[in-house]
Amino acid sequence: MKISILTLFPEMYEGFINTSIIKRAIEDNKVEIELINFRDYSKDPHKKVDDTPYGGGAGMVLTCQPIFDCIEDIKTNDSKVILLTPSGKVYNQGLAYDLSKEKHLIIICGHYEGFDDRIETLADYIISIGDYVLTGGEIPSMVLADSIIRLVPGVINEESHINDSFNKDYLLDYPTYTKPDDYKGMKVPDVLLSGDHKKIDEWRKDQAIKRTEERRPDLLDK
Ligand code: ADE
């Protein structure tokens, strides 16, 4: 899989692409991440990429030309274009699964007050990572790339994501523990030390339901 990220701030990705699982996925050729500064496509003599909004209002708006030209240059029949904006459809694990099956994702990061609405015509997906506003699409693009890359076959052990929160039955993860079995008087539940795998599975399922009821009752409606 290839992920092309259109951003005015490629330097923000240094830690992301050079650390841990993402770094290894790149080294193992499971994924390629291409960072494109779309300012390079600007035809403005000063390489401007934004302008004031028609109708007035605060802030600057990303213009069409650099982003349209960039997409035209890099898009192929295998590409899906994602636009990141707080006004998008809210991202979830199901979408991460769907996107992890694609060959080439192009992610457009907005910045400043937003972008000219005509840029939406380029997008196959218009996505928000949650109901809050960030200063730009760079962190959201890392959220998408991270959640997608870990689902690409061979990046992590498949068992690690089969049991993830939000899989299949829309339940949150059950609680997990590691050594020691008693930390400052807080004890690991006896059942986990029992070696009885049927009982452990039942306990985990119960705990997942209980936790979901307490923290995310909205998921149970699904
Ligand atoms: N840009 C700014 N805030 C965002 C959000 N919540 N999701 C996606 N892109 C954004």
Side-chain angles (χ1 to χ4, degrees), residues 84-86 127-130 132-137 140:
L84 289 167
T85 161
I127 295 177
S128 162
I129 60 158
Y132 40 81
V133 181
L134 301 165
T135 56

Side-chain angles (χ1 to χ4, degrees), residues 82-138:
I82 300 168
L83 188 60
L84 289 167
T85 161
S87 321
K89 187 179 160 193
V90 177
Y91 190 58
N92 63 23
Q93 187 70 12
L95 202 42
Y97 266 103
D98 293 346
L99 294 174
S100 73
K101 310 233 157 60
E102 297 291 343
K103 289 203 177 91
H104 182 208
L105 298 175
I106 299 174
I107 306 180
I108 306 173
C109 302
H111 220 87
Y112 312 121
E113 268 312 294
F115 41 77
D116 189 305
D117 210 62
R118 291 166 287 193
I119 292 171
E120 287 198 356
T121 62
L122 297 170
D124 298 293
Y125 299 88
I126 301 175
I127 295 177
S128 162
I129 60 158
D131 292 337
Y132 40 81
V133 181
L134 301 165
T135 56
E138 283 72 22

Side-chain angles (χ1 to χ4, degrees), residues 29-204:
N29 295 317
K30 303 277 187 231
V31 66
E32 180 190 350
I33 296 185
E34 176 185 41
L35 298 168
I36 301 174
N37 189 336
F38 57 88
R39 191 181 295 283
D40 296 340
Y41 284 83
S42 173
K43 290 186 173 141
D44 179 84
H46 305 290
K47 294 277 172 201
K48 236 168 84 115
V49 290
D50 57 357
D51 216 323
T52 52
Y54 279 120
M60 299 295 273
V61 176
L62 291 173
T63 56
C64 290
Q65 179 273 315
I67 294 178
F68 269 77
D69 285 1
C70 178
I71 296 288
E72 197 189 342
D73 188 26
I74 67 169
K75 194 177 168 182
T76 70
N77 289 338
D78 286 332
S79 310
K80 287 283 186 296
V81 178
I82 300 168
L83 188 60
L84 289 167
T85 161
S87 321
K89 187 179 160 193
V90 177
Y91 190 58
N92 63 23
Q93 187 70 12
L95 202 42
Y97 266 103
D98 293 346
L99 294 174
S100 73
K101 310 233 157 60
E102 297 291 343
K103 289 203 177 91
H104 182 208
L105 298 175
I106 299 174
I107 306 180
I108 306 173
C109 302
H111 220 87
Y112 312 121
E113 268 312 294
F115 41 77
D116 189 305
D117 210 62
R118 291 166 287 193
I119 292 171
E120 287 198 356
T121 62
L122 297 170
D124 298 293
Y125 299 88
I126 301 175
I127 295 177
S128 162
I129 60 158
D131 292 337
Y132 40 81
V133 181
L134 301 165
T135 56
E138 283 72 22
I139 291 170
S141 74
M142 290 183 229
V143 169
L144 258 67
D146 188 291
S147 60
I148 292 165
I149 290 168
R150 68 188 284 285
L151 298 175
V152 169
V155 170
I156 57 171
N157 169 353
E158 206 176 313
E159 212 189 323
S160 307
H161 53 75
I162 282 176
N163 292 323
D164 281 347
S165 286
F166 310 116
N167 270 0
K168 298 173 298 199
D169 43 14
Y170 289 100
L171 293 177
L172 299 184
D173 261 357
Y174 50 76
T176 55
Y177 300 86
T178 187
K179 294 174 187 69
D181 63 359
D182 184 339
Y183 182 70
K184 296 187 176 177
M186 294 180 282
K187 295 203 169 69
V188 172
D190 286 338
V191 61
L192 296 178
L193 310 175
S194 70
D196 182 336
H197 287 285
K198 189 162 173 281
K199 273 211 180 112
I200 292 172
D201 285 348
E202 281 165 11
W203 180 87
R204 285 179 167 165

